[in-house]
Amino acid sequence: MKVVIVGGVAGGASSAARIRRLDEHAQIIMIERSGYVSYANCGLPYYVGGVIKEQEELTMQTPESFWDRFRIDVRVRQEVTAINPAEKTVTVRGLDSGKSYTETYDKLLLAPGAKPTVPALSGVDSERVFTLRTVEDTLSIRRFVEEQKPKTAVLAGGGFIGLEMAENLVEMGVSVTIVQRPKQLLAPLDTDMASFVHAEMRRHGVALRLRETVTGFRQDGDSVLTLLEESEPLRSDMVLLAIGVTPDTHLAKEAGLELGIRGSIAVNERMETSVPDIYAVGDAVEVTHFVTGQKALISLAGPANKQGRIAADNICGGNSHFHGSQGSSVLKLFSLTAASTGINEKAAQAAGIAYDRVVLFPASHATYYPGAQSMAMKVLYEKESLRLLGAQIVGGDGVDKRIDVLATAIRAKMTALQLTELDLSYAPPYSSAKDPVNMAGFMIEDLESGKVRQFHWNEVEDLPCDGNATLLDVRTEGEYRRGHLNGFRNIPLDDLREHLDELDRGKPVYVNCQTGLRSYLACRLLTQYGFTCAHLSGGYSFYQVVTQEQQTARSAYPCGMEKV
């Protein structure tokens, strides 16, 4: 059997190695148009920033190591320019020699990945405007940074690559402004959870120009001007386009393969395309979202590697299936970690799912053990079935652990109530006897059993302030003096029983505390004394971060950038 693989990196390289493990006698040819194969794509921003010191550390395998260990023929700097399914051939052009040749195949695997989205804007070809997708891109940016020593940079786009590059540039002393059309960074997060990311970026001097549209670029001496639709241009020493990625599927389209959403390659669960003996994996293919069941594009290394393994199994006569992706991701941003899995509120609404959510601020480990850090945690679940839909966590230590537990729970199709019984490891340096994941389950259990009701940060302004409700803040007097919601009366939780006669049982009570725990306790107390009560999800802490970010966003002006 002769297998030709178009593209290396995650999907192509993992598939090639798997095929060899399954079939020692297969002829395997992997064709990669860049000069590198099986490289650490996710590590590229950290090489630019000098966190990863040596270029060789980015390369997982080389053409020579692939041959030595697996006898796989890896051809870099060669590009497949055409596929002929009827004759089962591909046309290959050597990028250095310019010569073309034809290669036959029995099985063809397409792993072309995705390419940076580069809109047709004026000046986009400037030598000071960069994209970051390949090792060559990385080397170019690092060389520019080392030689030119830029002081200012504009990043167009606020996704994973853009934010990682922002962090690395800031650590190198570069003043960074992020410009993008959406109103928030990190689309997998809800707007309220993204507020923590915005605050962290601003705390490190990153200027955010959200809801701004880039219309082009213009070279001006040793600077480049980023032109904006409704604002004055921004002058900087360099620009990085990180708007997103687009499936690289022109070969598939020209060969007559069926395409999916946004021009991606349509595949079934076996990673087979619409043409026999042609498979496709990675960022170029559409997948089924594990939570919604809808078609989606999820450009992440984890799913690409798994798809490569599954395609290899089936190429070698097996019967493996890819059951979808839920988009689990984690990102380091200065001292913050942001992670998500499943769907957010926007996606739930788009899918027509009736859902609810809980927000909590658990500690990363037992609070009596030194170094405990608080994390903001949001869990979504379907109202009727109580199945888990998604989770988002932003904080310090312990975020990655909890998001992975929740990702596993979603994959196992657990209900939110089953989180209460998860038997998770505990020792004071690592967790609490009731893990944050258990706590999320307890909160949902109390909501669904009617033991407590809640209201959310975006409903505070609509609370009745005409005397027809009791607005209660159960924090300490000191906490209350440092900031509180308008119209809320302060009665500390520990004193509440002694003040019950001052409250009208005929009026609903809306309770707020710092993070939601004391307000929950207050509601349980009040309910048993005949009051109707609801408490603020996430508490004053959550409300304050989200609303302050909204106010900042309305009034922010970029610092460190020269207005032209």
PDB file of all heavy atoms in Angstrom, residues 268-295:
ATOM      1  N   ASN A 268     -16.661  12.293   7.019  1.00  0.00           N
ATOM      2  CA  ASN A 268     -17.524  11.547   7.927  1.00  0.00           C
ATOM      3  C   ASN A 268     -16.745  11.211   9.199  1.00  0.00           C
ATOM      4  O   ASN A 268     -15.618  11.667   9.390  1.00  0.00           O
ATOM      5  CB  ASN A 268     -18.075  10.293   7.248  1.00  0.00           C
ATOM      6  CG  ASN A 268     -16.966   9.349   6.775  1.00  0.00           C
ATOM      7  OD1 ASN A 268     -15.822   9.414   7.253  1.00  0.00           O
ATOM      8  ND2 ASN A 268     -17.294   8.462   5.844  1.00  0.00           N
ATOM      9  N   GLU A 269     -17.329  10.378  10.054  1.00  0.00           N
ATOM     10  CA  GLU A 269     -16.678  10.064  11.327  1.00  0.00           C
ATOM     11  C   GLU A 269     -15.386   9.279  11.142  1.00  0.00           C
ATOM     12  O   GLU A 269     -14.544   9.243  12.042  1.00  0.00           O
ATOM     13  CB  GLU A 269     -17.632   9.285  12.230  1.00  0.00           C
ATOM     14  CG  GLU A 269     -18.781  10.105  12.791  1.00  0.00           C
ATOM     15  CD  GLU A 269     -19.607   9.334  13.788  1.00  0.00           C
ATOM     16  OE1 GLU A 269     -19.472   8.081  13.839  1.00  0.00           O
ATOM     17  OE2 GLU A 269     -20.374   9.965  14.540  1.00  0.00           O
ATOM     18  N   ARG A 270     -15.235   8.629   9.978  1.00  0.00           N
ATOM     19  CA  ARG A 270     -14.007   7.881   9.693  1.00  0.00           C
ATOM     20  C   ARG A 270     -12.945   8.766   9.059  1.00  0.00           C
ATOM     21  O   ARG A 270     -11.897   8.294   8.664  1.00  0.00           O
ATOM     22  CB  ARG A 270     -14.327   6.699   8.769  1.00  0.00           C
ATOM     23  CG  ARG A 270     -15.105   5.565   9.438  1.00  0.00           C
ATOM     24  CD  ARG A 270     -15.642   4.559   8.416  1.00  0.00           C
ATOM     25  NE  ARG A 270     -14.625   4.171   7.437  1.00  0.00           N
ATOM     26  CZ  ARG A 270     -13.733   3.178   7.624  1.00  0.00           C
ATOM     27  NH1 ARG A 270     -13.734   2.496   8.762  1.00  0.00           N
ATOM     28  NH2 ARG A 270     -12.852   2.887   6.679  1.00  0.00           N
ATOM     29  N   MET A 271     -13.230  10.068   8.959  1.00  0.00           N
ATOM     30  CA  MET A 271     -12.333  11.057   8.338  1.00  0.00           C
ATOM     31  C   MET A 271     -12.206  10.823   6.838  1.00  0.00           C
ATOM     32  O   MET A 271     -11.222  11.251   6.217  1.00  0.00           O
ATOM     33  CB  MET A 271     -10.956  11.089   8.999  1.00  0.00           C
ATOM     34  CG  MET A 271     -10.976  11.230  10.516  1.00  0.00           C
ATOM     35  SD  MET A 271     -12.103  12.514  11.150  1.00  0.00           S
ATOM     36  CE  MET A 271     -11.406  14.001  10.450  1.00  0.00           C
ATOM     37  N   GLU A 272     -13.200  10.188   6.233  1.00  0.00           N
ATOM     38  CA  GLU A 272     -13.228   9.974   4.794  1.00  0.00           C
ATOM     39  C   GLU A 272     -13.909  11.154   4.114  1.00  0.00           C
ATOM     40  O   GLU A 272     -14.929  11.661   4.589  1.00  0.00           O
ATOM     41  CB  GLU A 272     -13.999   8.695   4.452  1.00  0.00           C
ATOM     42  CG  GLU A 272     -13.342   7.427   4.973  1.00  0.00           C
ATOM     43  CD  GLU A 272     -14.250   6.217   4.850  1.00  0.00           C
ATOM     44  OE1 GLU A 272     -15.478   6.372   5.051  1.00  0.00           O
ATOM     45  OE2 GLU A 272     -13.741   5.116   4.574  1.00  0.00           O
ATOM     46  N   THR A 273     -13.372  11.602   2.997  1.00  0.00           N
ATOM     47  CA  THR A 273     -13.994  12.650   2.208  1.00  0.00           C
ATOM     48  C   THR A 273     -15.051  12.035   1.300  1.00  0.00           C
ATOM     49  O   THR A 273     -15.312  10.829   1.355  1.00  0.00           O
ATOM     50  CB  THR A 273     -12.951  13.395   1.367  1.00  0.00           C
ATOM     51  OG1 THR A 273     -12.482  12.531   0.324  1.00  0.00           O
ATOM     52  CG2 THR A 273     -11.775  13.841   2.224  1.00  0.00           C
ATOM     53  N   SER A 274     -15.618  12.854   0.445  1.00  0.00           N
ATOM     54  CA  SER A 274     -16.648  12.371  -0.478  1.00  0.00           C
ATOM     55  C   SER A 274     -16.067  11.534  -1.616  1.00  0.00           C
ATOM     56  O   SER A 274     -16.812  10.919  -2.372  1.00  0.00           O
ATOM     57  CB  SER A 274     -17.420  13.559  -1.060  1.00  0.00           C
ATOM     58  OG  SER A 274     -16.533  14.440  -1.750  1.00  0.00           O
ATOM     59  N   VAL A 275     -14.749  11.508  -1.764  1.00  0.00           N
ATOM     60  CA  VAL A 275     -14.080  10.747  -2.826  1.00  0.00           C
ATOM     61  C   VAL A 275     -13.402   9.528  -2.205  1.00  0.00           C
ATOM     62  O   VAL A 275     -12.654   9.666  -1.231  1.00  0.00           O
ATOM     63  CB  VAL A 275     -13.046  11.619  -3.563  1.00  0.00           C
ATOM     64  CG1 VAL A 275     -12.278  10.786  -4.583  1.00  0.00           C
ATOM     65  CG2 VAL A 275     -13.745  12.785  -4.253  1.00  0.00           C
ATOM     66  N   PRO A 276     -13.632   8.339  -2.740  1.00  0.00           N
ATOM     67  CA  PRO A 276     -13.030   7.124  -2.174  1.00  0.00           C
ATOM     68  C   PRO A 276     -11.508   7.215  -2.088  1.00  0.00           C
ATOM     69  O   PRO A 276     -10.850   7.790  -2.970  1.00  0.00           O
ATOM     70  CB  PRO A 276     -13.458   6.029  -3.161  1.00  0.00           C
ATOM     71  CG  PRO A 276     -14.708   6.552  -3.794  1.00  0.00           C
ATOM     72  CD  PRO A 276     -14.523   8.035  -3.887  1.00  0.00           C
ATOM     73  N   ASP A 277     -10.974   6.674  -1.006  1.00  0.00           N
ATOM     74  CA  ASP A 277      -9.533   6.569  -0.758  1.00  0.00           C
ATOM     75  C   ASP A 277      -8.858   7.915  -0.480  1.00  0.00           C
ATOM     76  O   ASP A 277      -7.633   7.986  -0.462  1.00  0.00           O
ATOM     77  CB  ASP A 277      -8.820   5.864  -1.925  1.00  0.00           C
ATOM     78  CG  ASP A 277      -9.259   4.419  -2.085  1.00  0.00           C
ATOM     79  OD1 ASP A 277      -9.503   3.770  -1.036  1.00  0.00           O
ATOM     80  OD2 ASP A 277      -9.379   3.941  -3.220  1.00  0.00           O
ATOM     81  N   ILE A 278      -9.652   8.966  -0.268  1.00  0.00           N
ATOM     82  CA  ILE A 278      -9.081  10.248   0.132  1.00  0.00           C
ATOM     83  C   ILE A 278      -9.640  10.616   1.501  1.00  0.00           C
ATOM     84  O   ILE A 278     -10.854  10.679   1.696  1.00  0.00           O
ATOM     85  CB  ILE A 278      -9.391  11.368  -0.881  1.00  0.00           C
ATOM     86  CG1 ILE A 278      -8.825  11.022  -2.266  1.00  0.00           C
ATOM     87  CG2 ILE A 278      -8.807  12.691  -0.398  1.00  0.00           C
ATOM     88  CD1 ILE A 278      -9.064  12.105  -3.305  1.00  0.00           C
ATOM     89  N   TYR A 279      -8.746  10.845   2.435  1.00  0.00           N
ATOM     90  CA  TYR A 279      -9.086  11.203   3.809  1.00  0.00           C
ATOM     91  C   TYR A 279      -8.616  12.636   4.077  1.00  0.00           C
ATOM     92  O   TYR A 279      -7.752  13.154   3.371  1.00  0.00           O
ATOM     93  CB  TYR A 279      -8.402  10.249   4.798  1.00  0.00           C
ATOM     94  CG  TYR A 279      -8.818   8.802   4.655  1.00  0.00           C
ATOM     95  CD1 TYR A 279      -8.361   8.017   3.591  1.00  0.00           C
ATOM     96  CD2 TYR A 279      -9.651   8.197   5.593  1.00  0.00           C
ATOM     97  CE1 TYR A 279      -8.738   6.689   3.455  1.00  0.00           C
ATOM     98  CE2 TYR A 279     -10.029   6.862   5.470  1.00  0.00           C
ATOM     99  CZ  TYR A 279      -9.574   6.121   4.400  1.00  0.00           C
ATOM    100  OH  TYR A 279      -9.949   4.802   4.268  1.00  0.00           O
ATOM    101  N   ALA A 280      -9.169  13.256   5.115  1.00  0.00           N
ATOM    102  CA  ALA A 280      -8.735  14.607   5.482  1.00  0.00           C
ATOM    103  C   ALA A 280      -8.845  14.776   6.990  1.00  0.00           C
ATOM    104  O   ALA A 280      -9.760  14.243   7.636  1.00  0.00           O
ATOM    105  CB  ALA A 280      -9.564  15.664   4.768  1.00  0.00           C
ATOM    106  N   VAL A 281      -7.884  15.519   7.557  1.00  0.00           N
ATOM    107  CA  VAL A 281      -7.853  15.737   9.005  1.00  0.00           C
ATOM    108  C   VAL A 281      -7.357  17.151   9.300  1.00  0.00           C
ATOM    109  O   VAL A 281      -6.804  17.832   8.443  1.00  0.00           O
ATOM    110  CB  VAL A 281      -6.910  14.724   9.697  1.00  0.00           C
ATOM    111  CG1 VAL A 281      -7.368  13.290   9.452  1.00  0.00           C
ATOM    112  CG2 VAL A 281      -5.460  14.906   9.234  1.00  0.00           C
ATOM    113  N   GLY A 282      -7.553  17.565  10.543  1.00  0.00           N
ATOM    114  CA  GLY A 282      -6.951  18.811  11.016  1.00  0.00           C
ATOM    115  C   GLY A 282      -7.799  20.053  10.808  1.00  0.00           C
ATOM    116  O   GLY A 282      -9.021  19.993  10.650  1.00  0.00           O
ATOM    117  N   ASP A 283      -7.132  21.190  10.780  1.00  0.00           N
ATOM    118  CA  ASP A 283      -7.817  22.483  10.727  1.00  0.00           C
ATOM    119  C   ASP A 283      -8.605  22.703   9.440  1.00  0.00           C
ATOM    120  O   ASP A 283      -9.426  23.619   9.376  1.00  0.00           O
ATOM    121  CB  ASP A 283      -6.797  23.616  10.876  1.00  0.00           C
ATOM    122  CG  ASP A 283      -6.141  23.646  12.244  1.00  0.00           C
ATOM    123  OD1 ASP A 283      -6.576  22.865  13.120  1.00  0.00           O
ATOM    124  OD2 ASP A 283      -5.203  24.437  12.438  1.00  0.00           O
ATOM    125  N   ALA A 284      -8.349  21.889   8.418  1.00  0.00           N
ATOM    126  CA  ALA A 284      -9.029  22.088   7.135  1.00  0.00           C
ATOM    127  C   ALA A 284     -10.406  21.432   7.091  1.00  0.00           C
ATOM    128  O   ALA A 284     -11.174  21.680   6.166  1.00  0.00           O
ATOM    129  CB  ALA A 284      -8.168  21.536   5.991  1.00  0.00           C
ATOM    130  N   VAL A 285     -10.741  20.576   8.065  1.00  0.00           N
ATOM    131  CA  VAL A 285     -11.987  19.819   7.974  1.00  0.00           C
ATOM    132  C   VAL A 285     -13.040  20.376   8.937  1.00  0.00           C
ATOM    133  O   VAL A 285     -12.715  20.962   9.974  1.00  0.00           O
ATOM    134  CB  VAL A 285     -11.765  18.322   8.272  1.00  0.00           C
ATOM    135  CG1 VAL A 285     -10.683  17.759   7.365  1.00  0.00           C
ATOM    136  CG2 VAL A 285     -11.440  18.071   9.729  1.00  0.00           C
ATOM    137  N   GLU A 286     -14.306  20.179   8.567  1.00  0.00           N
ATOM    138  CA  GLU A 286     -15.377  20.505   9.490  1.00  0.00           C
ATOM    139  C   GLU A 286     -15.598  19.298  10.402  1.00  0.00           C
ATOM    140  O   GLU A 286     -15.346  18.159  10.024  1.00  0.00           O
ATOM    141  CB  GLU A 286     -16.667  20.853   8.749  1.00  0.00           C
ATOM    142  CG  GLU A 286     -17.344  19.675   8.055  1.00  0.00           C
ATOM    143  CD  GLU A 286     -18.714  20.030   7.470  1.00  0.00           C
ATOM    144  OE1 GLU A 286     -19.063  21.219   7.456  1.00  0.00           O
ATOM    145  OE2 GLU A 286     -19.416  19.102   7.023  1.00  0.00           O
ATOM    146  N   VAL A 287     -16.023  19.582  11.628  1.00  0.00           N
ATOM    147  CA  VAL A 287     -16.287  18.515  12.584  1.00  0.00           C
ATOM    148  C   VAL A 287     -17.691  18.681  13.142  1.00  0.00           C
ATOM    149  O   VAL A 287     -18.340  19.712  12.942  1.00  0.00           O
ATOM    150  CB  VAL A 287     -15.260  18.533  13.741  1.00  0.00           C
ATOM    151  CG1 VAL A 287     -13.854  18.321  13.220  1.00  0.00           C
ATOM    152  CG2 VAL A 287     -15.355  19.839  14.531  1.00  0.00           C
ATOM    153  N   THR A 288     -18.143  17.695  13.850  1.00  0.00           N
ATOM    154  CA  THR A 288     -19.398  17.793  14.581  1.00  0.00           C
ATOM    155  C   THR A 288     -19.085  18.269  15.995  1.00  0.00           C
ATOM    156  O   THR A 288     -18.242  17.681  16.679  1.00  0.00           O
ATOM    157  CB  THR A 288     -20.105  16.431  14.635  1.00  0.00           C
ATOM    158  OG1 THR A 288     -20.409  16.011  13.298  1.00  0.00           O
ATOM    159  CG2 THR A 288     -21.398  16.520  15.437  1.00  0.00           C
ATOM    160  N   HIS A 289     -19.746  19.339  16.417  1.00  0.00           N
ATOM    161  CA  HIS A 289     -19.526  19.803  17.775  1.00  0.00           C
ATOM    162  C   HIS A 289     -20.166  18.810  18.733  1.00  0.00           C
ATOM    163  O   HIS A 289     -21.339  18.455  18.600  1.00  0.00           O
ATOM    164  CB  HIS A 289     -20.112  21.195  17.995  1.00  0.00           C
ATOM    165  CG  HIS A 289     -19.576  21.876  19.211  1.00  0.00           C
ATOM    166  ND1 HIS A 289     -19.894  21.480  20.484  1.00  0.00           N
ATOM    167  CD2 HIS A 289     -18.699  22.913  19.353  1.00  0.00           C
ATOM    168  CE1 HIS A 289     -19.259  22.252  21.357  1.00  0.00           C
ATOM    169  NE2 HIS A 289     -18.524  23.121  20.689  1.00  0.00           N
ATOM    170  N   PHE A 290     -19.390  18.347  19.694  1.00  0.00           N
ATOM    171  CA  PHE A 290     -19.847  17.274  20.572  1.00  0.00           C
ATOM    172  C   PHE A 290     -21.069  17.677  21.387  1.00  0.00           C
ATOM    173  O   PHE A 290     -21.910  16.839  21.703  1.00  0.00           O
ATOM    174  CB  PHE A 290     -18.709  16.853  21.515  1.00  0.00           C
ATOM    175  CG  PHE A 290     -19.029  15.651  22.340  1.00  0.00           C
ATOM    176  CD1 PHE A 290     -18.931  14.380  21.800  1.00  0.00           C
ATOM    177  CD2 PHE A 290     -19.438  15.780  23.662  1.00  0.00           C
ATOM    178  CE1 PHE A 290     -19.234  13.259  22.568  1.00  0.00           C
ATOM    179  CE2 PHE A 290     -19.742  14.673  24.437  1.00  0.00           C
ATOM    180  CZ  PHE A 290     -19.635  13.403  23.882  1.00  0.00           C
ATOM    181  N   VAL A 291     -21.189  18.956  21.738  1.00  0.00           N
ATOM    182  CA  VAL A 291     -22.290  19.398  22.592  1.00  0.00           C
ATOM    183  C   VAL A 291     -23.543  19.691  21.790  1.00  0.00           C
ATOM    184  O   VAL A 291     -24.641  19.244  22.126  1.00  0.00           O
ATOM    185  CB  VAL A 291     -21.876  20.629  23.414  1.00  0.00           C
ATOM    186  CG1 VAL A 291     -23.064  21.172  24.217  1.00  0.00           C
ATOM    187  CG2 VAL A 291     -20.729  20.275  24.357  1.00  0.00           C
ATOM    188  N   THR A 292     -23.412  20.448  20.703  1.00  0.00           N
ATOM    189  CA  THR A 292     -24.600  20.881  19.950  1.00  0.00           C
ATOM    190  C   THR A 292     -25.000  19.909  18.848  1.00  0.00           C
ATOM    191  O   THR A 292     -26.139  19.934  18.383  1.00  0.00           O
ATOM    192  CB  THR A 292     -24.352  22.256  19.310  1.00  0.00           C
ATOM    193  OG1 THR A 292     -23.315  22.123  18.317  1.00  0.00           O
ATOM    194  CG2 THR A 292     -23.927  23.267  20.357  1.00  0.00           C
ATOM    195  N   GLY A 293     -24.057  19.088  18.384  1.00  0.00           N
ATOM    196  CA  GLY A 293     -24.333  18.207  17.250  1.00  0.00           C
ATOM    197  C   GLY A 293     -24.289  18.922  15.922  1.00  0.00           C
ATOM    198  O   GLY A 293     -24.541  18.311  14.880  1.00  0.00           O
ATOM    199  N   GLN A 294     -23.962  20.216  15.933  1.00  0.00           N
ATOM    200  CA  GLN A 294     -23.910  20.995  14.701  1.00  0.00           C
ATOM    201  C   GLN A 294     -22.508  20.979  14.108  1.00  0.00           C
ATOM    202  O   GLN A 294     -21.528  20.712  14.805  1.00  0.00           O
ATOM    203  CB  GLN A 294     -24.351  22.434  14.978  1.00  0.00           C
ATOM    204  CG  GLN A 294     -25.773  22.552  15.490  1.00  0.00           C
ATOM    205  CD  GLN A 294     -26.138  23.971  15.918  1.00  0.00           C
ATOM    206  OE1 GLN A 294     -25.269  24.832  16.058  1.00  0.00           O
ATOM    207  NE2 GLN A 294     -27.422  24.219  16.121  1.00  0.00           N
ATOM    208  N   LYS A 295     -22.410  21.266  12.816  1.00  0.00           N
ATOM    209  CA  LYS A 295     -21.112  21.325  12.163  1.00  0.00           C
ATOM    210  C   LYS A 295     -20.336  22.547  12.664  1.00  0.00           C
ATOM    211  O   LYS A 295     -20.907  23.603  12.892  1.00  0.00           O
ATOM    212  CB  LYS A 295     -21.274  21.381  10.644  1.00  0.00           C
ATOM    213  CG  LYS A 295     -21.896  20.119  10.046  1.00  0.00           C
ATOM    214  CD  LYS A 295     -21.054  18.882  10.346  1.00  0.00           C
ATOM    215  CE  LYS A 295     -21.654  17.626   9.738  1.00  0.00           C
ATOM    216  NZ  LYS A 295     -20.856  16.418  10.073  1.00  0.00           N
TER     217      LYS A 295
END
